[in-house]
Amino acid sequence: MTARERDVTATPSQPYSPFARRARPAHPLPARRSLSPGRRPVSRPRSYVARDVLTLVALPLLAALALPAAFAGGGTRRWFGGRAEGQRAEAQAAKDAAAAAFYELDTAQRDLRISIETITAVDDSPAARRAVSDFEALGRRIDEASQKYITAVDAHDLDRDELEASVAARARGELTAAKDELGRVKSELDRFEQGLGPLLGKAETQLARLAPAVERARQALLAASNALDSVRQSGLGADDLAARLAALAPELTKLNQGAGQHGVPETLERAERVSREAGAVRAEAARLPERAAEIDHRLVSLRTRAQALTTRSGQVEPVLSELRRRFSAACWQDLQHVPDQAEENVRQAELKLKEARAAREAQRWPDATSLLATVRALLNDTDEAVSAAGDRLRRLNAVQKDPQQEIDRTRFAIRDAQRLAMAGRSTPDPRQARPLDDSVARLDRAVATLEGRHPDYWHFLTETEAVRQTVARVVAQIREERGGA
């Protein structure tokens, strides 16, 4: 299009912008000349005049159309919506507050669920089961409040362009009610969490013990295994200890499977039992060399003692011969079996010693220990029987020479008890006076048995001994009653 055509049609060469400064024409119209005589003035074409008029009229209209579009940002909602926009803002604020309350409640519920799971993993008491039931009821309340919030959010589109003020107000009311309900449920949840303090503390304490207890059990098993290997390397057998250690292998498997499968209390109890039994195996394995040396020493010692008792048993017969010769039959008749009993006991002891030696060579330590205990009991009985014959002769010789010493000893015990019974009293307690009076009479009867040609000295000795025992019981009773008072 030529410049002339643009001029005629009033079409600008560039797109029109209301903010662009209009350029001056490249060739302005010539200035009006003065009229010369004989010439008429040149007039402008009509098309030029029409174009200028149209341009002046169109400029305000174009500016009015272009400004709202420029400020609207390409079709967004209007800036000045009046009361509806205020209600929209309030509804949006209520929606944000409800969302915050919903998030806070959801977070609190998740944290509390972890606490409940901690309690149920450890505690199966009625209080723990009641806590689980209460939490489930709270969960239903939370679901109801959350559903009310979700329904209110889904029911209203606050971003809609043509949002009526009444709709926005109703949305604000429903969202505020949902937020308040979420807050009430959150308060209930907080109170419930505070009540869980003792149960949760107990559960956390047990959980804190769990890992160290399991680790101690593993270390105890490892230490027992190492101790057993060390003993075996020294040449000592420990089959019984190895069997006890092997019996703990299934327990270790269960410990490795964890408390999630077997429960925290059961795992704790299992870990403590494994630690205790593995510790016992380790201690016995560490003591095994010392135990072997001790058994060897006892074998030698008991064999020496058996030989000495064999020699002493041969001396019982001369003692019995003297008893028969000098005293009545009542004084020695109960000792007639001592030589035969001593001989039999020594024979049995020597047989058990051989069996103990064989058990020691086979490293059957419990059997060897048991057999040595039997040998010791047999030798103790033999020693007592052999010593009884010599002791009987010594005591009978003493009382035959001076029976008054035994009598004075017994009377002194009776008088001492009588003084104690009367201390601080005007009359004795019958419970204490009667046995003391009986003891006096019994001593008198024992002394009377010494008269005659062949007195029974052994009966006299046993009677005085019995009297002193009775008196000792009365004294102990008096002291106990007064000490309690």
Side-chain angles (χ1 to χ4, degrees), residues 90-99 148-154 156 158 168-182:
E90 293 178 0
Q92 185 62 45
K95 180 179 179 181
D96 294 341
K148 182 177 181 180
Y149 160 74
I150 294 171
T151 301
V153 170
D154 292 342
H156 304 286
L158 300 181
R170 185 168 61 254
R172 178 176 60 81
E174 293 179 3
L175 289 169
T176 301
K179 182 204 67 160
D180 294 341
E181 181 65 17
L182 291 171

Side-chain angles (χ1 to χ4, degrees), residues 142-163:
I142 293 172
D143 291 342
E144 293 173 0
S146 300
Q147 184 61 42
K148 182 177 181 180
Y149 160 74
I150 294 171
T151 301
V153 170
D154 292 342
H156 304 286
D157 183 10
L158 300 181
D159 294 329
R160 186 161 52 88
D161 290 339
E162 300 298 332
L163 181 67

Side-chain angles (χ1 to χ4, degrees), residues 313 316-317 320 335-347 382:
S313 299
V316 174
E317 191 61 41
L320 288 176
L335 299 177
Q336 287 290 98
H337 67 285
V338 169
D340 295 336
Q341 181 183 357
E343 182 181 357
E344 178 63 21
N345 286 349
V346 170
R347 188 183 68 81
T382 303

Side-chain angles (χ1 to χ4, degrees), residues 71-140:
F71 285 99
T76 57
R77 59 175 175 262
R78 295 169 297 175
W79 279 19
F80 308 103
R83 181 170 176 272
E85 290 301 322
Q87 294 289 346
R88 184 200 302 271
E90 293 178 0
Q92 185 62 45
K95 180 179 179 181
D96 294 341
F102 175 78
Y103 177 76
E104 185 179 2
L105 178 60
D106 182 69
T107 303
Q109 184 185 19
R110 291 175 185 272
D111 294 342
L112 190 56
R113 180 175 288 109
I114 294 174
S115 300
I116 290 294
E117 290 174 353
T118 301
I119 293 172
T120 55
V122 175
D123 196 351
D124 192 30
S125 64
R129 291 194 295 269
R130 185 166 55 253
V132 173
S133 176
D134 293 344
F135 180 70
E136 291 175 353
L138 269 176
R140 290 189 290 271

